[in-house]
Amino acid sequence: MEPAEKATELFRQMNKNRRDVFKAYQSFTSSIKKGSSIEDKYQSLILIACSILSQCDMCISLHVQNAATHGATKDEIIDAGLLAVAMGGSPRMMYMRHIYEEVDKLFD
């Protein structure tokens, strides 16, 4: 199962088992996004960097796909990941493999 599919399954399980918490979380993140002055593409690129720093492979997959959907180029996506590597060092660099896996699926 792909990381994005794993995340979708996790969301389904959370919605089933703790719908109140999951809906509150969705509402919170949705309100941040709606009120933002940052365009969707750039929000996605920021979230890619945050995903690397958080070492979350499912998050990386989702945000790379979302960035591509909002018009980010392969180079922009990779550079967003590399900015996180610059802040987090070599342990974060190991998570770049997830970005390369995703962009290879989306752009090649």
Side-chain angles (χ1 to χ4, degrees):
M1 185 181 295
E2 295 290 324
E5 293 170 325
K6 288 178 184 177
T8 299
E9 177 60 21
L10 172 63
F11 298 155
R12 187 192 67 71
Q13 289 174 343
M14 289 176 65
N15 191 42
K16 178 182 174 187
N17 293 304
R18 284 304 307 265
R19 185 174 183 83
D20 57 333
V21 173
F22 186 64
K23 290 297 179 187
Y25 175 76
Q26 285 183 312
S27 177
F28 172 69
T29 58
S30 179
S31 65
I32 293 170
K33 187 174 177 59
K34 286 178 188 172
S36 180
S37 59
I38 302 170
E39 296 174 33
D40 289 340
K41 173 178 131 175
Y42 299 109
Q43 285 184 29
S44 297
L45 293 170
I46 291 167
L47 289 169
I48 288 168
C50 291
S51 297
I52 288 280
L53 289 171
S54 299
Q55 297 178 299
C56 176
D57 59 332
M58 289 187 288
C59 302
I60 294 166
S61 179
L62 291 171
H63 294 305
V64 167
Q65 291 177 29
N66 201 33
T69 298
H70 286 101
T73 66
K74 180 179 181 178
D75 289 338
E76 289 173 323
I77 292 168
I78 291 169
D79 287 349
L82 289 173
L83 286 170
V85 169
M87 292 298 295
S90 60
R92 294 338 186 251
M93 188 183 305
M94 300 305 117
Y95 281 79
M96 284 296 295
R97 75 178 173 86
H98 298 292
I99 288 179
Y100 288 117
E101 288 171 0
E102 291 299 323
V103 296
D104 285 347
K105 288 188 264 183
L106 295 170
F107 292 97
D108 291 334

PDB file of all heavy atoms in Angstrom, residues 11-12 14-31:
ATOM      1  N   PHE A  11      -7.122   8.014   8.059  1.00  0.00           N
ATOM      2  CA  PHE A  11      -8.177   9.026   8.208  1.00  0.00           C
ATOM      3  C   PHE A  11      -9.552   8.364   8.299  1.00  0.00           C
ATOM      4  O   PHE A  11     -10.393   8.774   9.091  1.00  0.00           O
ATOM      5  CB  PHE A  11      -8.157  10.018   7.051  1.00  0.00           C
ATOM      6  CG  PHE A  11      -6.895  10.817   6.940  1.00  0.00           C
ATOM      7  CD1 PHE A  11      -6.517  11.350   5.722  1.00  0.00           C
ATOM      8  CD2 PHE A  11      -6.068  11.039   8.035  1.00  0.00           C
ATOM      9  CE1 PHE A  11      -5.359  12.097   5.597  1.00  0.00           C
ATOM     10  CE2 PHE A  11      -4.897  11.780   7.922  1.00  0.00           C
ATOM     11  CZ  PHE A  11      -4.539  12.311   6.695  1.00  0.00           C
ATOM     12  N   ARG A  12      -9.758   7.335   7.502  1.00  0.00           N
ATOM     13  CA  ARG A  12     -11.031   6.610   7.534  1.00  0.00           C
ATOM     14  C   ARG A  12     -11.246   5.983   8.909  1.00  0.00           C
ATOM     15  O   ARG A  12     -12.329   6.082   9.495  1.00  0.00           O
ATOM     16  CB  ARG A  12     -11.073   5.540   6.444  1.00  0.00           C
ATOM     17  CG  ARG A  12     -12.441   4.852   6.305  1.00  0.00           C
ATOM     18  CD  ARG A  12     -12.384   3.607   5.429  1.00  0.00           C
ATOM     19  NE  ARG A  12     -11.608   2.539   6.018  1.00  0.00           N
ATOM     20  CZ  ARG A  12     -11.981   1.797   7.087  1.00  0.00           C
ATOM     21  NH1 ARG A  12     -13.121   2.026   7.683  1.00  0.00           N
ATOM     22  NH2 ARG A  12     -11.201   0.835   7.551  1.00  0.00           N
ATOM     23  N   MET A  14      -9.851   6.889  11.775  1.00  0.00           N
ATOM     24  CA  MET A  14     -10.047   7.942  12.775  1.00  0.00           C
ATOM     25  C   MET A  14     -11.471   8.482  12.708  1.00  0.00           C
ATOM     26  O   MET A  14     -12.100   8.710  13.741  1.00  0.00           O
ATOM     27  CB  MET A  14      -9.033   9.063  12.562  1.00  0.00           C
ATOM     28  CG  MET A  14      -7.620   8.669  12.922  1.00  0.00           C
ATOM     29  SD  MET A  14      -6.410   9.954  12.557  1.00  0.00           S
ATOM     30  CE  MET A  14      -6.942  11.232  13.690  1.00  0.00           C
ATOM     31  N   ASN A  15     -11.955   8.678  11.489  1.00  0.00           N
ATOM     32  CA  ASN A  15     -13.315   9.182  11.302  1.00  0.00           C
ATOM     33  C   ASN A  15     -14.338   8.198  11.867  1.00  0.00           C
ATOM     34  O   ASN A  15     -15.352   8.593  12.439  1.00  0.00           O
ATOM     35  CB  ASN A  15     -13.573   9.465   9.832  1.00  0.00           C
ATOM     36  CG  ASN A  15     -14.850  10.224   9.592  1.00  0.00           C
ATOM     37  OD1 ASN A  15     -15.175  11.166  10.313  1.00  0.00           O
ATOM     38  ND2 ASN A  15     -15.576   9.825   8.579  1.00  0.00           N
ATOM     39  N   LYS A  16     -14.063   6.923  11.723  1.00  0.00           N
ATOM     40  CA  LYS A  16     -14.966   5.884  12.217  1.00  0.00           C
ATOM     41  C   LYS A  16     -14.935   5.796  13.750  1.00  0.00           C
ATOM     42  O   LYS A  16     -15.975   5.688  14.391  1.00  0.00           O
ATOM     43  CB  LYS A  16     -14.576   4.537  11.614  1.00  0.00           C
ATOM     44  CG  LYS A  16     -15.413   3.370  12.096  1.00  0.00           C
ATOM     45  CD  LYS A  16     -14.922   2.064  11.477  1.00  0.00           C
ATOM     46  CE  LYS A  16     -15.666   0.878  12.060  1.00  0.00           C
ATOM     47  NZ  LYS A  16     -15.088  -0.389  11.607  1.00  0.00           N
ATOM     48  N   ASN A  17     -13.739   5.837  14.320  1.00  0.00           N
ATOM     49  CA  ASN A  17     -13.583   5.596  15.750  1.00  0.00           C
ATOM     50  C   ASN A  17     -13.703   6.835  16.626  1.00  0.00           C
ATOM     51  O   ASN A  17     -14.152   6.732  17.764  1.00  0.00           O
ATOM     52  CB  ASN A  17     -12.239   4.907  16.020  1.00  0.00           C
ATOM     53  CG  ASN A  17     -12.215   3.520  15.434  1.00  0.00           C
ATOM     54  OD1 ASN A  17     -13.065   2.710  15.752  1.00  0.00           O
ATOM     55  ND2 ASN A  17     -11.267   3.249  14.561  1.00  0.00           N
ATOM     56  N   ARG A  18     -13.287   7.975  16.134  1.00  0.00           N
ATOM     57  CA  ARG A  18     -13.364   9.223  16.900  1.00  0.00           C
ATOM     58  C   ARG A  18     -13.749  10.363  15.968  1.00  0.00           C
ATOM     59  O   ARG A  18     -13.017  11.316  15.778  1.00  0.00           O
ATOM     60  CB  ARG A  18     -12.037   9.536  17.585  1.00  0.00           C
ATOM     61  CG  ARG A  18     -11.746   8.721  18.814  1.00  0.00           C
ATOM     62  CD  ARG A  18     -12.832   8.791  19.910  1.00  0.00           C
ATOM     63  NE  ARG A  18     -13.204  10.130  20.341  1.00  0.00           N
ATOM     64  CZ  ARG A  18     -12.699  10.768  21.384  1.00  0.00           C
ATOM     65  NH1 ARG A  18     -11.784  10.194  22.127  1.00  0.00           N
ATOM     66  NH2 ARG A  18     -13.117  11.981  21.693  1.00  0.00           N
ATOM     67  N   ARG A  19     -14.920  10.227  15.379  1.00  0.00           N
ATOM     68  CA  ARG A  19     -15.409  11.206  14.407  1.00  0.00           C
ATOM     69  C   ARG A  19     -15.365  12.630  14.968  1.00  0.00           C
ATOM     70  O   ARG A  19     -14.996  13.559  14.273  1.00  0.00           O
ATOM     71  CB  ARG A  19     -16.824  10.845  13.972  1.00  0.00           C
ATOM     72  CG  ARG A  19     -17.378  11.736  12.887  1.00  0.00           C
ATOM     73  CD  ARG A  19     -18.753  11.215  12.411  1.00  0.00           C
ATOM     74  NE  ARG A  19     -19.259  12.010  11.337  1.00  0.00           N
ATOM     75  CZ  ARG A  19     -18.949  11.883  10.065  1.00  0.00           C
ATOM     76  NH1 ARG A  19     -18.099  10.941   9.705  1.00  0.00           N
ATOM     77  NH2 ARG A  19     -19.466  12.656   9.149  1.00  0.00           N
ATOM     78  N   ASP A  20     -15.723  12.799  16.239  1.00  0.00           N
ATOM     79  CA  ASP A  20     -15.747  14.129  16.843  1.00  0.00           C
ATOM     80  C   ASP A  20     -14.363  14.774  16.819  1.00  0.00           C
ATOM     81  O   ASP A  20     -14.208  15.933  16.421  1.00  0.00           O
ATOM     82  CB  ASP A  20     -16.286  14.064  18.274  1.00  0.00           C
ATOM     83  CG  ASP A  20     -15.495  13.120  19.180  1.00  0.00           C
ATOM     84  OD1 ASP A  20     -14.885  12.143  18.679  1.00  0.00           O
ATOM     85  OD2 ASP A  20     -15.500  13.358  20.403  1.00  0.00           O
ATOM     86  N   VAL A  21     -13.347  14.022  17.188  1.00  0.00           N
ATOM     87  CA  VAL A  21     -11.984  14.543  17.211  1.00  0.00           C
ATOM     88  C   VAL A  21     -11.487  14.789  15.789  1.00  0.00           C
ATOM     89  O   VAL A  21     -10.897  15.831  15.485  1.00  0.00           O
ATOM     90  CB  VAL A  21     -11.040  13.569  17.956  1.00  0.00           C
ATOM     91  CG1 VAL A  21      -9.590  14.011  17.851  1.00  0.00           C
ATOM     92  CG2 VAL A  21     -11.480  13.424  19.403  1.00  0.00           C
ATOM     93  N   PHE A  22     -11.735  13.840  14.901  1.00  0.00           N
ATOM     94  CA  PHE A  22     -11.261  13.964  13.530  1.00  0.00           C
ATOM     95  C   PHE A  22     -11.918  15.159  12.839  1.00  0.00           C
ATOM     96  O   PHE A  22     -11.242  15.932  12.158  1.00  0.00           O
ATOM     97  CB  PHE A  22     -11.523  12.667  12.761  1.00  0.00           C
ATOM     98  CG  PHE A  22     -10.938  12.665  11.383  1.00  0.00           C
ATOM     99  CD1 PHE A  22      -9.567  12.740  11.195  1.00  0.00           C
ATOM    100  CD2 PHE A  22     -11.756  12.586  10.268  1.00  0.00           C
ATOM    101  CE1 PHE A  22      -9.020  12.741   9.919  1.00  0.00           C
ATOM    102  CE2 PHE A  22     -11.218  12.588   8.991  1.00  0.00           C
ATOM    103  CZ  PHE A  22      -9.848  12.662   8.813  1.00  0.00           C
ATOM    104  N   LYS A  23     -13.202  15.345  13.023  1.00  0.00           N
ATOM    105  CA  LYS A  23     -13.912  16.476  12.407  1.00  0.00           C
ATOM    106  C   LYS A  23     -13.417  17.803  12.976  1.00  0.00           C
ATOM    107  O   LYS A  23     -13.289  18.788  12.252  1.00  0.00           O
ATOM    108  CB  LYS A  23     -15.426  16.336  12.571  1.00  0.00           C
ATOM    109  CG  LYS A  23     -16.020  15.215  11.736  1.00  0.00           C
ATOM    110  CD  LYS A  23     -15.820  15.486  10.273  1.00  0.00           C
ATOM    111  CE  LYS A  23     -16.378  14.356   9.431  1.00  0.00           C
ATOM    112  NZ  LYS A  23     -16.065  14.517   8.013  1.00  0.00           N
ATOM    113  N   ALA A  24     -13.147  17.842  14.285  1.00  0.00           N
ATOM    114  CA  ALA A  24     -12.622  19.063  14.896  1.00  0.00           C
ATOM    115  C   ALA A  24     -11.243  19.394  14.324  1.00  0.00           C
ATOM    116  O   ALA A  24     -10.944  20.557  14.032  1.00  0.00           O
ATOM    117  CB  ALA A  24     -12.556  18.910  16.415  1.00  0.00           C
ATOM    118  N   TYR A  25     -10.425  18.373  14.141  1.00  0.00           N
ATOM    119  CA  TYR A  25      -9.097  18.576  13.553  1.00  0.00           C
ATOM    120  C   TYR A  25      -9.230  19.086  12.115  1.00  0.00           C
ATOM    121  O   TYR A  25      -8.553  20.039  11.721  1.00  0.00           O
ATOM    122  CB  TYR A  25      -8.293  17.278  13.589  1.00  0.00           C
ATOM    123  CG  TYR A  25      -6.965  17.398  12.898  1.00  0.00           C
ATOM    124  CD1 TYR A  25      -5.909  18.052  13.503  1.00  0.00           C
ATOM    125  CD2 TYR A  25      -6.778  16.866  11.619  1.00  0.00           C
ATOM    126  CE1 TYR A  25      -4.689  18.188  12.864  1.00  0.00           C
ATOM    127  CE2 TYR A  25      -5.565  16.999  10.980  1.00  0.00           C
ATOM    128  CZ  TYR A  25      -4.530  17.661  11.599  1.00  0.00           C
ATOM    129  OH  TYR A  25      -3.333  17.791  10.959  1.00  0.00           O
ATOM    130  N   GLN A  26     -10.096  18.468  11.335  1.00  0.00           N
ATOM    131  CA  GLN A  26     -10.313  18.906   9.958  1.00  0.00           C
ATOM    132  C   GLN A  26     -10.810  20.344   9.911  1.00  0.00           C
ATOM    133  O   GLN A  26     -10.378  21.122   9.059  1.00  0.00           O
ATOM    134  CB  GLN A  26     -11.306  17.988   9.247  1.00  0.00           C
ATOM    135  CG  GLN A  26     -10.727  16.656   8.845  1.00  0.00           C
ATOM    136  CD  GLN A  26     -11.741  15.832   8.086  1.00  0.00           C
ATOM    137  OE1 GLN A  26     -12.888  15.680   8.496  1.00  0.00           O
ATOM    138  NE2 GLN A  26     -11.316  15.289   6.961  1.00  0.00           N
ATOM    139  N   SER A  27     -11.706  20.698  10.787  1.00  0.00           N
ATOM    140  CA  SER A  27     -12.230  22.059  10.837  1.00  0.00           C
ATOM    141  C   SER A  27     -11.120  23.055  11.171  1.00  0.00           C
ATOM    142  O   SER A  27     -11.026  24.126  10.563  1.00  0.00           O
ATOM    143  CB  SER A  27     -13.352  22.141  11.873  1.00  0.00           C
ATOM    144  OG  SER A  27     -13.828  23.450  11.987  1.00  0.00           O
ATOM    145  N   PHE A  28     -10.282  22.697  12.130  1.00  0.00           N
ATOM    146  CA  PHE A  28      -9.162  23.541  12.530  1.00  0.00           C
ATOM    147  C   PHE A  28      -8.220  23.782  11.352  1.00  0.00           C
ATOM    148  O   PHE A  28      -7.894  24.916  11.024  1.00  0.00           O
ATOM    149  CB  PHE A  28      -8.424  22.883  13.696  1.00  0.00           C
ATOM    150  CG  PHE A  28      -7.140  23.551  14.070  1.00  0.00           C
ATOM    151  CD1 PHE A  28      -7.136  24.817  14.649  1.00  0.00           C
ATOM    152  CD2 PHE A  28      -5.933  22.909  13.873  1.00  0.00           C
ATOM    153  CE1 PHE A  28      -5.948  25.438  15.005  1.00  0.00           C
ATOM    154  CE2 PHE A  28      -4.740  23.513  14.230  1.00  0.00           C
ATOM    155  CZ  PHE A  28      -4.738  24.785  14.796  1.00  0.00           C
ATOM    156  N   THR A  29      -7.781  22.709  10.702  1.00  0.00           N
ATOM    157  CA  THR A  29      -6.831  22.866   9.595  1.00  0.00           C
ATOM    158  C   THR A  29      -7.476  23.562   8.404  1.00  0.00           C
ATOM    159  O   THR A  29      -6.829  24.353   7.716  1.00  0.00           O
ATOM    160  CB  THR A  29      -6.236  21.510   9.170  1.00  0.00           C
ATOM    161  OG1 THR A  29      -7.274  20.615   8.797  1.00  0.00           O
ATOM    162  CG2 THR A  29      -5.412  20.899  10.295  1.00  0.00           C
ATOM    163  N   SER A  30      -8.752  23.313   8.175  1.00  0.00           N
ATOM    164  CA  SER A  30      -9.462  23.968   7.084  1.00  0.00           C
ATOM    165  C   SER A  30      -9.571  25.473   7.321  1.00  0.00           C
ATOM    166  O   SER A  30      -9.400  26.274   6.394  1.00  0.00           O
ATOM    167  CB  SER A  30     -10.850  23.358   6.929  1.00  0.00           C
ATOM    168  OG  SER A  30     -11.567  23.990   5.900  1.00  0.00           O
ATOM    169  N   SER A  31      -9.824  25.873   8.545  1.00  0.00           N
ATOM    170  CA  SER A  31      -9.948  27.300   8.836  1.00  0.00           C
ATOM    171  C   SER A  31      -8.612  28.018   8.684  1.00  0.00           C
ATOM    172  O   SER A  31      -8.563  29.166   8.248  1.00  0.00           O
ATOM    173  CB  SER A  31     -10.541  27.535  10.222  1.00  0.00           C
ATOM    174  OG  SER A  31      -9.680  27.076  11.224  1.00  0.00           O
TER     175      SER A  31
END
